[in-house]
Amino acid sequence: MEKQPYSELIGRFSNARVMVVGDIYLDENVFGLMTGISLEAPIPIFEVHDRRHNPGAAGNAACNVAALGARTYMVGYVGDDPNAEIVFKEFARLGVETSGVVIAKDRPTNTYGKLRAGTFNAPSQEVLRTDTPKPAWVDGALEEAIIAEIERLGPEVDAIVVGDQVCSVATDRVLKTVVDVARKQGCWTVGDSRERAGAFHGFDVLVPNDREAGIGVGVDVVDETSLYEAGRQLTQICRNALVTRGPKGITIFAEDGSTTDAPCEPVKAVDVTGAGDTVTATVAVSLAAGASLLEAAALGNAAAGVAVAQKGVVTVSANELTRSLEGERKGPSKLHTLDELSEIVERLRSEGKTIVWTNGCFDILHAGHISYLVNAAELGDVLIVGINSDESIRRVKGPERPVVNEQYRALVLSALECVDYLCVFSDPTPLSIIKELAPDI
């Protein structure tokens, strides 16, 4: 495909309207230190330094839809408790409309926690996970309320996404309501289920990974033959299936019986957590904006590539997606302009990431550089490194420097796993950039 259609298509994302239906979790990440052993019991003392939150499960898919620029409506439930207040606050901050979220008086807000700590002389690691009890299927008045919200918001949207991670909201009645509303309003239905792809009868598109596709239809996917069997069976349940296959991209199983592979560009995966939500959200927004299945798959692949190259659960903006697809970035993949970094940092900050900045010439990279960059990265979630331009180095160190030009220095630093983003600056000091980005450290 030519570059221009992608740009035009992504430009229409801001006109798309998407409803996301499904389980809402509050993901809580707690960071701290193990400072000793309790005097009251033989257990470690966890000294809490920071807490960060983000919506999880279908809530994460909704945040991904919003990050791409589409108007986003969330439908599901939370409890009547303090964690629900955090969920609403996070949704508001990320641009997700929540009038369709029902308060369940007799259920807690589903919450999933990770506690991560080190000691004064040992690196940080995950030490405990917490979870609320697995929720039961919604029924009675709660199910009726969720169905009513789907019917109310149906006329407002171009696509409806159902995320079914923990088998709670996506009951048979809810799924049927989604299909009925979508047919009446002429909008897309997109489904993603961890275990129940076979229950999504009549959906336009399912977006499972290869394992989930097999589980949904009772096929053990171990090779191409079993994958194609699972895909064929899925298209007897839904109209089309876009099966994600990690580094192999997406295989499209269409309602007309055709099969098309949509390969993806190779990337170094740092963290695949939440990548499935990124693909599902991108496919839904793309279809709502008028994309074909192949275009939606290509955009889904590209968005996933941006997401998995970063630490933790992230969202991908329309601008990041455009740059990834159209190759607008010059030089090493981690090298960005200040305008690009400003946008990236704003998103990272909205996701609760701690941003670390450092800078230098890095003319001849040595062990001291490596040690201090590794140590800097351990102070937060994201390390941004500023590099003195060739011109600024010559002003300070004379005409014989640098030995290595700025593009090659950036290329070498890009290869370091501890470095997340780079920028080149020509001012005598990086103060103006630091003021613009406002890193935490």
Side-chain angles (χ1 to χ4, degrees):
M1 181 185 291
E2 298 295 327
K3 292 180 179 180
Q4 186 60 30
Y6 278 125
S7 178
E8 292 177 351
L9 180 55
I10 295 171
R12 296 198 296 271
F13 280 9
S14 60
N15 297 323
R17 304 166 301 166
V18 179
M19 182 199 314
V20 180
V21 180
D23 310 300
I24 300 171
Y25 263 70
L26 174 64
D27 289 348
E28 181 178 50
N29 292 279
V30 184
F31 302 86
L33 287 175
M34 291 299 189
T35 58
I37 301 297
S38 171
L39 297 176
E40 300 168 352
I43 54 175
I45 299 171
F46 187 107
E47 182 181 278
V48 176
H49 288 184
D50 192 16
R51 294 179 187 270
R52 301 174 204 161
H53 302 93
N54 60 275
N60 184 49
C63 294
N64 274 272
V65 170
L68 290 168
R71 179 150 190 182
T72 311
Y73 302 85
M74 184 75 228
V75 176
Y77 75 88
V78 292
D80 185 11
D81 53 34
N83 281 357
E85 296 176 11
I86 300 174
V87 169
F88 283 123
K89 179 181 176 182
E90 293 301 309
F91 273 141
R93 184 171 55 81
L94 296 167
V96 177
E97 204 271 348
T98 56
S99 67
V101 177
V102 179
I103 304 297
K105 299 288 187 180
D106 58 346
R107 292 173 179 240
T109 298
N110 299 317
T111 304
Y112 176 77
K114 291 182 180 180
L115 280 74
R116 187 176 184 89
T119 66
F120 294 107
N121 58 3
S124 176
Q125 68 177 58
E126 196 170 302
V127 296
L128 185 67
R129 293 194 181 192
T130 63
D131 204 350
T132 45
K134 183 176 179 179
W137 287 108
V138 297
D139 58 7
L142 180 57
E143 184 181 39
E144 293 292 344
I146 289 171
I147 287 173
E149 292 301 326
I150 295 168
E151 293 173 338
R152 179 179 69 85
L153 292 169
E156 304 295 325
V157 301
D158 308 299
I160 305 175
V161 177
V162 177
D164 176 42
Q165 281 88 344
V166 293
C167 302
S168 175
V169 169
T171 65
D172 290 342
R173 285 191 64 211
V174 167
L175 294 176
K176 184 178 185 304
T177 299
V178 167
V179 172
D180 290 345
V181 168
R183 286 176 178 169
K184 181 178 179 180
Q185 302 300 331
C187 62
W188 288 91
T189 50
V190 179
D192 179 21
S193 178
R194 185 169 292 172
E195 299 176 350
R196 299 173 56 246
F200 284 61
H201 296 280
F203 269 63
D204 294 313
V205 180
L206 290 185
V207 193
N209 62 34
D210 44 10
R211 178 178 176 274
E212 292 166 347
I215 291 173
V217 294
V219 174
D220 186 15
V221 174
V222 295
D223 54 20
E224 293 287 315
T225 300
S226 53
L227 172 69
Y228 277 71
E229 175 61 21
R232 184 189 65 79
Q233 291 192 34
L234 279 178
T235 55
Q236 296 175 9
I237 295 164
C238 62
R239 289 176 56 204
N240 308 279
L242 273 59
V243 180
T244 62
R245 307 177 63 192
K248 294 182 179 179
I250 293 174
T251 299
I252 303 168
F253 297 91
E255 60 182 331
D256 63 6
S258 64
T259 304
T260 307
D261 288 325
C264 60
E265 294 293 327
V267 297
K268 179 176 175 56
V270 174
D271 191 339
V272 299
T273 307
D277 293 329
T278 300
V279 176
T280 300
T282 307
V283 167
V285 175
S286 300
L287 294 173
S292 67
L293 287 177
L294 184 57
E295 289 170 332
L299 291 167
N301 276 331
V306 175
V308 301
Q310 303 176 65
K311 298 174 186 174
V313 177
V314 300
T315 57
V316 178
S317 72
N319 285 340
E320 287 178 291
L321 182 57
T322 299
R323 288 195 294 269
S324 172
L325 281 162
E326 300 189 354
E328 292 179 359
R329 186 180 304 147
K330 305 298 183 183
S333 62
K334 296 180 181 179
L335 183 62
H336 293 267
T337 66
L338 180 57
D339 286 344
E340 290 173 349
L341 269 181
S342 294
E343 178 189 325
I344 291 168
V345 166
E346 182 179 357
R347 172 183 54 79
L348 292 169
R349 185 168 285 114
S350 75
E351 293 167 355
K353 300 291 193 296
T354 298
I355 299 158
V356 182
W357 163 276
T358 191
N359 57 273
C361 298
F362 306 102
D363 191 9
I364 301 174
L365 202 67
H366 54 71
H369 288 137
I370 302 298
S371 176
Y372 115 81
L373 288 173
V374 169
N375 289 337
E378 290 177 351
L379 297 175
D381 302 301
V382 177
L383 176 62
I384 303 174
V385 178
I387 308 172
N388 287 80
S389 68
D390 294 348
E391 178 188 355
S392 69
I393 291 177
R394 280 192 288 270
R395 286 199 303 264
V396 175
K397 299 191 177 184
E400 302 302 317
R401 300 290 296 273
V403 175
V404 181
N405 71 45
E406 62 195 50
Q407 285 296 316
Y408 285 139
R409 286 184 281 128
L411 182 63
V412 171
L413 288 169
S414 262
L416 299 180
E417 188 172 347
C418 62
V419 175
D420 296 296
Y421 299 100
L422 298 162
C423 70
V424 176
F425 65 94
S426 294
D427 292 344
T429 76
L431 184 59
S432 63
I433 301 178
I434 291 172
K435 287 182 176 179
E436 170 73 19
L437 300 181
D440 299 290
I441 299 172

